[in-house]
Amino acid sequence: MYYPYLRGKQYELILLRDNPTMFSDNPIYPIIEPVKTNFSGFTRAIGNLVDKKAKFIVVANPQCGDLVGEEDSILEVIEDTVPSSYNGLSIAYIVNHDSDIESIVESINNCERNNISIIHYDFIRGRDLAEVLSEIGKVKRHIFIEKYSSKLYQKHFKRDGVERILIRDGFKVRKNEQYPQREHYSDLHITYEDEGMDGFGDFLIVGDEYREGGGPAYAVAIHLTYLNEEKDMFVAHFVSEQKGSPKNPARKFAEALEKLVGAVEASDSLFLRSNAYEEYRRLNQIGHFPGLGYAKKLSMQHHIELMAYYLNSLST
Amino acid sequence: MATYKMPIALADIQIPENYYSSFTRVFTPIVMDQLIESGYSGYLSEIIEFSGIGKYLRNGVTLREFLDWVYAQIIGSYRSEYAYKNAIAEKILLGRHSLNTSCMLKEFRVENSRADVVILNGTSNAYEIKSEYDSFGRLDKQISSYIKVFDFTNIITSGSQAKKLTFLPESIGILELTENYTIKNIRPAISMKDKVDQGTIFDSLRKNEYLSIVKKHFGEIPDVPNTQIFDECKTFFLKLSPIMAHDEMVKVLKKRGDKQLLKDLVSEIPRCLYAYIIDRKFNRSKAEKLNVLLSKTLEEILGVSK
């Protein structure tokens, strides 16, 4: 099972809203951390996931964005949007350096849903937490952010009937003009079972570090993941030629897109011709710039389609 | 200080010397926006406490009085870039020109520089601020960019710094922010609008702005995919004469910002905040919140008790 971790910004939510069957028809279980006070995009996204009976996880206590400390309003929105009989939803609680065990337990006990996930950031008292949580039957899975938790920490939570998921941030954020043409992304999709895990995840082509908007880009970069012959995952970065000023993003997008389409269409191409890629190709054909947010959405979609393709290839 | 009277409650109080730069930051968008949006400022609370002036702020000092006091101290002892910007807003935009016919822009990007202040009346005037704490390191580059776009390019600086500016080309105006907080013309700038570079002007405009100019002069906006619009429009724009390109720029730039809002506000808002409120992100809802806060006491806003 693949667990893409999405911060609920505008285009992440549009991705979920417009592609619910991508999640329901494949072994993919998105984790959504709401970050925006305006819930309309969020409710439409999870509404569509419910309609298609997709499984998904919602973080009730986000640690970044506008909704830090807004646990009650998030849970309220969920109660209004997801029927209590719906069993595809898991509520997640993040534990980090600020957390204390008592209030986490209290939140879990008060939560009306009985499918709870714990997302482990930099919490320290792993053994104590594991002991307390082992008594609570509705905790169904532990999700570890690899950078923050050691093997020993993860081991405390090993227990029959409780899943363990490892999330690795395979994406290295740089300034757009500084991306190499290609670099390694992650092999966790192949090796997670060797790590003793029941599932794996990543932060797509965005990275774990939360950022709001950002200034004008001097260069436009489009990221596209692919598998090599061994099914190890890499990411290609297509960067515009112009990078000296923040002017004319549309033209820069066109330059990056031209490189992308050229690479995918090459005879020795390793890229999956995903639906997202077909949209890139169409944009290239008509010379249209849909905005940088939309381009990011397509690259995230491509990544998830690639994971779905990989996971399905294992079972056939 | 002629124009800035200290509130009586604070008349004898000084900001400790090593806190001037912290206090001048009170006027930056990052501090003011947060104060206005949330009604509280952790930053303000901290600098008041750490600088030790909290104990003087007990007796009902309002935010308005406090800001006036900080600003009076800044122009008396620590003339930051904000003090220069605000002086330009008070004394040039509102003093020499009028809000009916002029507008002020901050941080206007030209090539890889940003002109600190641009004032548009019938023509364009750029002001590069060099406070006593600034070096002249980037000045050559900045000037060579600004004269590609603006009619009049000026440097505004302190009296002592002004004497060092003899290396500037003749066309560049020099202004001094005097000890008495007035702006003195050392020498006028010379009109350069017949020598501007149309391409650089084009690159400084927003999409809706260059589209409207191209439409006006060439009839229609070229019917090409949006990835080519910029280059197509630029080809057209380059056909305008330098003076025409410049004058069209002035017209579209004057439409930036909410002039009516500014006119409504200048009588209500303390003068020390002019340079802050002249910003495209400042709007009526912020203005209303700010007005409420200004008459609150610091105790009410921050819970100052020390």
Side-chain angles (χ1 to χ4, degrees):
Chain A
M1 193 67 116
Y2 168 52
Y3 293 76
Y5 195 120
L6 298 143
R7 300 266 156 66
K9 294 165 75 174
Q10 185 186 3
Y11 281 94
E12 279 81 351
L13 295 174
I14 292 174
L15 171 70
L16 294 160
R17 182 193 76 193
D18 291 352
N19 303 279
T21 55
M22 183 167 78
F23 301 97
S24 57
D25 295 354
N26 294 298
I28 300 179
Y29 207 152
I31 302 165
I32 308 159
E33 182 174 358
V35 292
K36 294 286 174 198
T37 326
N38 181 345
F39 280 108
S40 61
F42 175 72
T43 51
R44 290 179 67 187
I46 63 174
N48 284 6
L49 291 172
V50 170
D51 284 347
K52 296 294 175 202
K53 301 198 168 44
K55 289 180 169 182
F56 61 98
I57 298 171
V58 176
V59 176
N61 64 336
Q63 59 167 1
C64 53
D66 306 336
L67 293 172
V68 176
E70 296 292 328
E71 187 175 330
D72 292 345
S73 42
I74 294 170
L75 290 173
E76 201 173 303
V77 169
I78 290 173
E79 288 318 309
D80 292 346
T81 319
V82 185
S84 50
S85 59
Y86 188 74
N87 53 23
L89 168 67
S90 174
I91 299 293
Y93 288 93
I94 290 176
V95 293
N96 61 22
H97 61 277
D98 282 333
S99 310
D100 68 90
I101 293 180
E102 264 177 39
S103 26
I104 287 296
V105 169
E106 194 187 330
S107 289
I108 295 172
N109 285 333
N110 289 342
C111 183
E112 297 181 15
R113 308 275 167 165
N114 52 19
N115 181 341
I116 304 288
S117 306
I118 306 294
I119 300 177
H120 299 266
Y121 271 87
D122 55 345
F123 187 73
I124 294 177
R125 295 167 55 206
R127 195 168 58 183
D128 298 342
L129 181 65
E131 206 176 297
V132 177
L133 294 184
S134 67
E135 317 265 305
I136 306 177
K138 33 182 190 174
V139 176
K140 306 290 189 202
R141 79 187 53 70
H142 291 286
I143 299 167
F144 304 102
I145 310 300
E146 187 178 51
K147 188 164 81 179
Y148 296 102
S149 67
S150 64
K151 292 287 153 211
L152 180 60
Y153 180 98
Q154 293 162 15
K155 196 175 164 190
H156 293 311
F157 295 89
K158 191 166 183 180
R159 204 179 135 76
D160 284 346
V162 179
E163 292 177 344
R164 294 189 308 156
I165 317 299
L166 190 58
I167 307 255
R168 177 180 295 170
D169 185 3
F171 190 75
K172 297 175 196 70
V173 176
R174 296 181 172 84
K175 284 190 169 174
N176 281 348
E177 51 271 36
Q178 289 167 356
Y179 281 103
Q181 285 187 356
R182 292 176 182 217
E183 64 184 319
H184 188 242
Y185 182 83
S186 172
D187 56 14
L188 193 60
H189 54 292
I190 305 172
T191 59
Y192 70 96
E193 286 170 321
D194 299 335
E195 306 244 3
M197 293 289 157
D198 304 294
F200 69 97
D202 56 41
F203 293 91
L204 303 105
I205 47 82
V206 182
D208 177 16
E209 194 191 328
Y210 181 74
R211 283 154 300 160
E212 291 277 354
Y218 276 65
V220 167
I222 312 176
H223 316 288
L224 213 60
T225 45
Y226 64 95
L227 300 169
N228 75 356
E229 296 83 349
E230 298 173 83
K231 307 292 180 201
D232 195 359
M233 192 170 285
F234 288 77
V235 57
H237 307 286
F238 302 99
V239 182
S240 59
E241 285 301 307
Q242 295 182 45
K243 44 191 89 159
S245 83
K247 279 281 135 188
N248 203 354
R251 160 83 175 277
K252 288 174 187 161
F253 173 76
E255 288 172 359
L257 188 58
E258 181 74 36
K259 290 187 188 176
L260 181 152
V261 172
V264 178
E265 298 296 326
S267 56
D268 57 349
S269 165
L270 291 163
F271 293 95
L272 177 72
R273 296 178 68 116
S274 61
N275 294 329
Y277 168 69
E278 291 301 336
E279 175 66 2
Y280 271 136
R281 199 165 65 101
R282 186 184 73 85
L283 292 171
N284 186 51
Q285 227 158 38
I286 62 174
H288 180 69
F289 173 51
L292 294 172
Y294 186 83
K296 190 183 83 174
K297 189 206 88 159
L298 286 180
S299 283
M300 292 190 289
Q301 181 186 336
H302 172 86
H303 180 69
I304 296 173
E305 286 187 68
L306 179 63
M307 282 298 187
Y309 164 83
Y310 168 77
L311 293 169
N312 291 329
S313 74
L314 298 177
S315 49
T316 51
Chain B
M1 221 45 56
T3 36
Y4 278 88
K5 283 213 186 80
M6 303 244 187
I8 293 163
L10 298 168
D12 301 326
I13 319 301
Q14 286 288 321
I15 295 174
E17 212 169 305
N18 51 340
Y19 274 90
Y20 278 123
S21 68
S22 310
F23 273 85
T24 192
R25 220 167 289 150
V26 168
F27 296 102
T28 57
I30 191 159
V31 176
M32 282 304 294
D33 286 354
Q34 206 231 350
L35 175 63
I36 292 171
E37 288 306 327
S38 70
Y40 178 80
S41 165
Y43 181 78
L44 202 53
S45 174
E46 266 181 27
I47 59 166
I48 288 174
E49 184 189 335
F50 294 157
S51 63
I53 65 155
K55 56 180 177 287
Y56 304 112
L57 300 178
R58 254 181 312 183
N59 302 320
V61 173
T62 62
L63 180 64
R64 179 187 291 269
E65 290 170 327
F66 171 75
L67 292 173
D68 275 342
W69 170 74
V70 172
Y71 192 69
Q73 297 256 317
I74 286 170
I75 60 180
S77 312
Y78 186 89
R79 293 198 169 166
S80 59
E81 186 177 303
Y82 183 83
Y84 280 83
K85 272 192 190 135
N86 206 58
I88 295 173
E90 283 186 75
K91 293 168 190 305
I92 299 183
L93 177 68
L94 292 153
R96 299 183 192 173
H97 305 303
S98 135
L99 284 179
N100 292 322
T101 51
S102 313
C103 89
M104 169 167 155
L105 305 173
K106 295 184 298 185
E107 313 298 334
F108 187 90
R109 184 190 283 278
V110 182
E111 294 184 322
N112 290 321
S113 299
R114 283 168 189 274
D116 292 315
V117 174
V118 174
I119 290 184
L120 304 143
N121 44 6
T123 187
S124 63
N125 310 271
Y127 298 89
E128 180 61 27
I129 295 167
K130 292 294 171 196
S131 77
E132 275 165 80
Y133 312 98
D134 293 331
S135 82
F136 294 148
R138 299 192 59 244
L139 196 52
D140 279 341
K141 231 180 147 189
Q142 289 168 324
I143 285 174
S144 69
S145 288
Y146 302 158
I147 59 174
K148 291 184 189 165
V149 169
F150 302 112
D151 192 5
F152 296 103
T153 297
N154 301 280
I155 311 300
I156 178 164
T157 184
S158 68
S160 58
Q161 292 264 73
K163 297 190 183 74
K164 302 180 205 155
L165 285 172
T166 45
F167 63 91
L168 287 181
E170 258 188 15
S171 61
I172 308 302
I174 301 175
L175 300 130
E176 177 192 335
L177 182 61
T178 65
E179 292 295 318
N180 299 324
Y181 193 62
T182 58
I183 292 179
K184 185 164 109 189
N185 285 350
I186 308 265
R187 74 176 198 206
I190 296 170
S191 172
M192 296 288 279
K193 74 171 172 179
D194 55 337
K195 298 188 183 63
V196 295
D197 177 64
Q198 302 96 316
T200 312
I201 288 180
F202 184 86
D203 289 347
S204 295
L205 296 176
R206 296 183 188 150
K207 188 169 181 182
N208 64 327
E209 293 167 343
Y210 65 67
L211 287 180
S212 77
I213 297 172
V214 168
K215 193 166 177 189
K216 178 175 162 192
H217 283 268
F218 303 98
E220 277 312 307
I221 293 164
D223 180 23
V224 294
N226 71 352
T227 48
Q228 293 164 34
I229 277 278
F230 181 95
D231 294 328
E232 281 293 312
C233 286
K234 194 167 180 175
T235 312
F236 279 114
F237 195 87
L238 293 176
K239 295 178 187 164
L240 299 174
S241 71
I243 291 180
M244 181 66 80
H246 170 270
D247 291 351
E248 290 297 345
M249 170 191 79
V250 171
K251 282 183 203 153
V252 295
L253 291 185
K254 280 173 87 166
K255 291 182 186 149
R256 287 191 192 178
D258 185 343
K259 262 191 235 60
Q260 192 55 45
L261 174 66
L262 216 53
K263 271 197 263 181
D264 295 347
L265 286 181
V266 284
S267 56
E268 300 169 10
I269 288 207
R271 300 160 69 98
C272 63
L273 288 179
Y274 286 176
Y276 163 67
I277 64 168
I278 297 175
D279 192 287
R280 67 194 167 97
K281 292 195 187 104
F282 197 78
N283 54 37
R284 234 162 251 281
S285 107
K286 274 190 183 177
E288 277 163 28
K289 289 183 190 165
L290 174 59
N291 253 327
V292 173
L293 280 176
L294 284 170
S295 51
K296 284 195 179 178
T297 66
L298 285 182
E299 282 169 297
E300 289 175 285
I301 296 171
L302 305 174
V304 176
S305 57
K306 289 197 178 98

